[in-house]
Amino acid sequence: MGTRLTITPPSDFVLRRDGCSYGYFRLAPNTWSVESQTLTRLLQLEDGVAVLTIAQPGAKPGESLRVQCDRALSANERREVKSLMSRMLCLDDEGVREFHRVDPRWKRSGRARIFRSPTFFEDLVKTVTSCNVTWPSTVSMNRRLCEVIDPAFPSPAQLARRRPQTLRSRCGVGYRDKRLIELAKMTVSGEIDAAWFEDPTTSDDEVHAALLTLPGIGPYAAGNMMQLLGRYGFLAVDTETIRHGRESLGFEGTDRAVEKQVRAHYDAFGAHKFRSYWFELWTEHEKAQGPAWTWPDKSRV
């Protein structure tokens, strides 16, 4: 019988809403079950891989999360699971109330938390695999990385040992092959220090500037990594942003002109501008396809 854990989330937390709040919840090794309304995740823990299934049976705000593991966990692994789950689900997000004050449109729905990966490195890889590509290709790349290298997602050490040709031919990452390996090697050597990026005493400007120096991290990727770090004062501008600016916000002109208008528009939301922007996009998708927790695997977001 595997270990069962109970995690007490914040009083406003709803798994299906907050877990299904960003496309990464659909990327391997995450699996969302529409039928059971559970999130299954493979994690590499101290004593090996474990398969965890997270549920919130009543789907009521603040109701306890129940985590079922496929094997027994040590005391250290239990603490590790709780820490990783907290990062993924943003259970320690202390800015929810302030966000709802700055942008009260989302208070009634409770939207505030944005799903992310259990580690900084995984978010880095998933961000690189989401640049200059369609969403189905991002899904495929991450699935193949798990199939070829590690079912619980490649660690920096595992990825650092791979040849670029392997990543290109077997994982379909294209031109990203060398960049992903370089990021992995920099992480293993300590040149990329996740703790520094996640330290709240490190300023947003310092973190953003450091991200832009990393292989494969341009303006869009840096903006996306900022929000995955819980630093929401930056936008991640791509073609979807420009579409939103034209179709939803009514801006006109060249792409550059629309981008400038979009940035000025969201400046009003200050340190929470990405949240305001993102939930506008996310609710557009949900109006077209239904709530994210009901999307079948073939759904494209």
Side-chain angles (χ1 to χ4, degrees), residues 87-152:
R87 188 186 195 280
M88 285 179 66
L89 301 174
C90 295
L91 300 182
D92 59 354
D93 187 342
E94 297 180 353
V96 172
R97 184 173 297 180
E98 181 186 352
F99 170 56
H100 289 159
R101 180 183 60 77
V102 171
D103 192 348
R105 293 178 298 168
W106 310 106
K107 184 174 182 178
R108 183 174 180 180
S109 68
R111 293 285 195 192
R113 294 177 175 83
I114 301 176
F115 181 87
R116 55 187 180 173
S117 302
T119 67
F120 171 83
F121 180 73
E122 184 174 324
D123 273 338
L124 197 59
V125 171
K126 287 182 171 174
T127 294
V128 171
T129 60
S130 70
C131 294
N132 304 315
V133 71
T134 62
W135 179 251
S137 294
T138 297
V139 172
S140 176
M141 279 186 266
N142 283 276
R143 184 184 69 249
R144 294 296 295 153
L145 285 167
C146 292
E147 291 172 347
V148 173
I149 301 177
D150 192 303

Side-chain angles (χ1 to χ4, degrees), residues 125-276:
V125 171
K126 287 182 171 174
T127 294
V128 171
T129 60
S130 70
C131 294
N132 304 315
V133 71
T134 62
W135 179 251
S137 294
T138 297
V139 172
S140 176
M141 279 186 266
N142 283 276
R143 184 184 69 249
R144 294 296 295 153
L145 285 167
C146 292
E147 291 172 347
V148 173
I149 301 177
D150 192 303
F153 204 80
S155 68
Q158 290 172 322
L159 200 54
R161 293 194 296 267
R162 295 288 171 160
R163 296 185 304 166
Q165 299 93 317
T166 299
L167 296 189
R168 184 178 286 252
S169 63
R170 298 189 62 194
C171 301
V173 302
Y175 73 89
R176 303 163 188 81
D177 52 2
K178 294 180 181 178
R179 297 176 185 183
L180 290 173
I181 291 173
E182 189 173 356
L183 287 170
K185 289 181 176 178
M186 292 171 71
T187 301
V188 171
S189 70
E191 189 174 351
I192 294 177
D193 180 6
W196 181 85
F197 283 96
E198 303 212 60
D199 187 339
T201 65
T202 309
S203 74
D204 287 355
D205 287 340
E206 286 178 295
V207 170
H208 187 251
L211 286 167
L212 286 170
T213 68
L214 301 181
I217 304 297
Y220 164 79
N224 193 55
M225 282 301 300
M226 289 297 286
Q227 66 90 7
L228 292 168
L229 286 163
R231 300 172 185 266
Y232 302 108
F234 293 74
L235 293 181
V237 175
D238 61 3
T239 55
E240 181 70 352
T241 313
I242 304 305
R243 180 206 63 77
H244 182 67
R246 295 186 193 279
E247 297 180 9
S248 299
L249 301 178
F251 298 145
E252 299 178 348
T254 64
D255 286 356
R256 181 172 294 183
V258 170
E259 177 182 343
K260 185 176 181 179
Q261 293 172 81
V262 166
R263 290 187 181 280
H265 173 77
Y266 288 107
D267 277 345
F269 301 105
H272 297 279
K273 66 182 66 172
F274 185 90
R275 297 202 223 221
S276 295

Side-chain angles (χ1 to χ4, degrees), residues 271-283:
H272 297 279
K273 66 182 66 172
F274 185 90
R275 297 202 223 221
S276 295
Y277 160 71
W278 180 252
F279 289 125
E280 287 181 13
L281 289 184
W282 201 245
T283 53

